[in-house]
Amino acid sequence: MKKQLLIIGGGFAGFWSALSAIRQSRELQKGDELEVTVVNMDEYLTIRPRLYEVSLKGLRVGLNKYFKPLGIKFIIGKAEIINPDQNLVMVLTDSGSRILNYDYLILSSGSVLKALNIPGIENTFNVDTFNGAQKLEDHLTQLAGKNFVDSASTFVVAGSGLTGLEVATVIKEKAMKIWGENAQKEIDFKVVLIEKAEKVGNYYATEAQDYVIETLKSKDISIATGVSLTAVSADGATLSDGTFIPSKTVISTIGLVASSLCHFFKGEKDKLGRLHVNKYLQLEEYENVIAAGDVANIPVDNEGNNSLMACQFSMFLGKWAGHNAVNWLFSQPLKPYNYTDYVTCVDLGQQDGMLTTGWERKLVSSGIEGKNIKMEVTTKLIYPADDVEAALEDSYPEVPNVSQNAV
Ligand SMILES: Cc1cc2nc3c(=O)[nH]c(=O)nc-3n(C[C@H](O)[C@H](O)[C@H](O)COP(=O)(O)OP(=O)(O)OC[C@H]3O[C@@H](n4cnc5c(N)ncnc54)[C@H](O)[C@@H]3O)c2cc1C
């Protein structure tokens, strides 16, 4: 009977876990003693970091293109219940529910946009999932059909984290492109960025923060700090200071929390709901469970820094996860996680972007140079190589970057 490795989630962490597991099982010459199964809610690796962009084309990579030739079993469905004491997962699929057994489980179900507990939350839009981004695009297309009249030309963006900055600086361009298809005249779009903190971008070093604020100003984006959303209707947003902003499009980017599947496991969670893992990515209470990607919190250096919800961590954690799961199953030594670099890239709209390095997030590149670096990373480096065997080669934990693969 083959050993069963079950992976929940086919995002960056789950995808690389699966490839790394296949590669490592081949290396140990155990390929025919292992079955790798991935459960994902749809058939795609969604390139979430690009969901704010003007166009949604090329933002999903078909998983079966890789899974089929590598013999990875793929189930489209939603894992609903995990019983880690009995090594069982209940999955809901279009044809009913299924119970899956595992010898080893990799949990890589990612993260979701934080829920805002305010009246009218259902009126907000998001760029958290492909469907969310598509819904926003369809909505803008409808508004364009009615010429973006009155408050339809105002966009409210809640949250000025990396995604909020990207949405705020790109949304006019996106609306303009949609409008452009039937446009006779320019529209004076307005963007209001709402931030609970007293200053936008206070997680950046001073020079980087100054560049962000200057850029927002130069793009005529209004900034409201020290306030939060308290209600949203189809006609606008109400803020905590009582201000009402008439708008048909309120977009929430208030941050991510870990997948609720983390709650099936004993043990303390961090403030984002993530599971703490040891240096091999295992859960302390369950030796045969690894958490990887946005569900995992792992110390990454001796200075108190921990992994973040970001692709650079998810991809590496995935590669380590697959490797260690297979080695554990075949009684081989596990590899301690060892990746300490940290950079951030942000798109700030036409001609503008920024690269920061280190945990202090110091400004390294800005303007068009920063933008080009950001696009190089998100349109090439975070995609798997087109060639399946080349992608497999990239699944070694030590490989610094996946292959260049422009879309
Ligand atoms: C708009 C946006 C911009 C971002 N920008 C950046 C950026 O610039 N740089 C950066 O490094 N990071 C960025 N991130 C974060 C980055 O996208 C995540 O860190 C990364 O996607 C996490 O990878 P993951 O595999 O852990 O989870 P995900 O990519 O979330 O994948 C999880 C997968 O699991 C599936 N799943 C979830 N629950 C279940 C279930 N119950 N059953 C079956 N399948 C399930 C989901 O459908 C999904 O396919 C951004 C995120 C967003 C939303």
Side-chain angles (χ1 to χ4, degrees):
M1 176 108 167
K2 289 184 177 184
K3 292 185 194 284
Q4 299 295 321
L5 169 59
L6 178 61
I7 300 171
I8 304 180
F12 292 96
F15 174 84
W16 285 110
S17 295
L19 266 65
S20 179
I22 293 294
R23 177 199 44 72
Q24 184 61 7
S25 68
R26 283 188 188 176
E27 207 137 291
L28 298 178
Q29 300 186 338
K30 297 287 185 190
D32 50 1
E33 294 176 40
L34 177 74
E35 184 160 81
V36 178
T37 305
V38 176
V39 179
N40 194 48
M41 294 212 277
D42 59 30
E43 59 197 284
Y44 302 107
L45 162 62
T46 298
I47 309 297
R48 285 176 85 198
R50 297 187 61 194
L51 291 174
Y52 71 90
E53 285 190 14
V54 169
S55 161
L56 300 180
K57 287 203 182 86
L59 306 196
R60 296 198 288 186
V61 176
L63 288 168
N64 249 333
K65 170 182 162 171
Y66 297 86
F67 290 176
K68 236 186 202 150
L70 294 173
I72 296 166
K73 255 178 83 179
F74 184 27
I75 299 174
I76 296 178
K78 184 175 182 200
E80 291 271 355
I81 299 171
I82 303 175
N83 183 334
D85 297 317
Q86 294 186 0
N87 297 348
L88 293 176
V89 176
M90 198 276 271
V91 178
L92 202 59
T93 70
D94 276 350
S95 47
S97 58
R98 290 177 64 173
I99 304 287
L100 305 177
N101 284 283
Y102 63 83
D103 296 303
Y104 211 100
L105 176 70
I106 297 178
L107 181 71
S108 50
S109 46
S111 56
V112 290
L113 179 67
K114 226 183 267 174
L116 261 177
N117 190 13
I118 56 167
I121 183 69
E122 66 281 4
N123 295 306
T124 55
F125 292 87
N126 69 72
V127 292
D128 188 44
T129 60
F130 189 86
N131 289 344
Q134 184 67 63
K135 198 172 148 198
L136 172 63
E137 194 164 295
D138 294 345
H139 169 72
L140 294 175
T141 306
Q142 274 189 4
L143 296 182
K146 295 180 186 158
N147 302 332
F148 287 108
V149 285
D150 304 329
S151 64
S153 62
T154 298
F155 307 123
V156 177
V157 180
S160 73
L162 183 136
T163 301
L165 295 177
E166 295 185 324
V167 173
T169 50
V170 171
I171 188 83
K172 286 189 203 178
E173 205 186 321
K174 189 174 174 85
M176 208 53 223
K177 181 175 173 269
I178 292 170
W179 167 246
E181 278 146 25
N182 56 354
Q184 303 297 319
K185 62 175 175 100
E186 285 264 315
I187 293 182
D188 182 22
F189 290 112
K190 292 188 176 52
V191 178
V192 186
L193 181 61
I194 312 290
E195 171 53 55
K196 205 161 68 172
E198 290 305 324
K199 223 172 160 194
V200 160
N202 55 11
Y203 40 89
Y204 287 120
T206 314
E207 209 190 339
Q209 189 179 8
D210 291 347
Y211 170 64
V212 167
I213 294 171
E214 259 171 47
T215 307
L216 292 172
K217 282 189 187 148
S218 74
K219 300 198 170 185
D220 208 17
I221 293 167
S222 309
I223 305 172
T225 53
V227 283
S228 50
L229 280 184
T230 52
V232 181
S233 73
D235 294 320
T238 306
L239 308 187
S240 49
D241 64 358
T243 310
F244 178 74
I245 307 172
S247 167
K248 302 274 180 221
T249 315
V250 179
I251 305 162
S252 173
T253 68
I254 60 159
L256 303 174
V257 287
S259 151
S260 57
L261 292 179
C262 294
H263 294 296
F264 286 103
F265 300 92
K266 285 181 223 140
E268 207 192 321
K269 321 286 181 297
D270 72 4
K271 62 182 193 318
L272 301 176
R274 299 184 298 175
L275 292 157
H276 292 278
V277 297
N278 67 19
K279 62 184 174 186
Y280 305 117
L281 274 54
Q282 295 164 302
L283 304 191
E284 286 299 351
E285 305 252 1
Y286 313 88
E287 227 190 328
N288 68 336
V289 181
I290 273 179
D294 283 2
V295 291
N297 177 332
I298 185 166
V300 292
D301 57 26
N302 295 325
E303 271 134 52
N305 295 308
N306 287 49
S307 60
L308 298 174
M309 288 181 170
C311 285
Q312 59 195 297
F313 293 102
S314 298
M315 295 194 307
F316 280 98
L317 286 165
K319 293 175 186 186
W320 248 276
H323 182 97
N324 278 348
V326 168
N327 273 16
W328 189 90
L329 284 168
F330 296 104
S331 308
Q332 296 298 310
L334 306 192
K335 192 186 275 288
Y337 184 72
N338 170 24
Y339 172 75
T340 53
D341 280 0
Y342 177 52
V343 301
T344 68
C345 302
V346 61
D347 184 355
L348 294 170
Q350 278 170 335
Q351 307 294 314
D352 281 293
M354 179 171 81
L355 168 73
T356 72
T357 57
W359 292 90
E360 319 78 30
R361 301 185 177 98
K362 286 197 177 142
L363 183 65
V364 174
S365 294
S366 58
I368 191 65
E369 187 185 79
K371 170 100 177 183
N372 289 342
I373 294 171
K374 165 80 183 181
M375 296 333 279
E376 172 80 11
V377 171
T378 54
T379 63
K380 294 183 185 169
L381 298 185
I382 62 173
Y383 279 74
D386 197 39
D387 178 73
V388 176
E389 288 298 321
L392 205 62
E393 278 296 300
D394 288 333
S395 73
Y396 280 97
E398 294 81 4
V399 169
N401 273 314
V402 291
S403 292
Q404 314 273 319
N405 183 34
V407 286

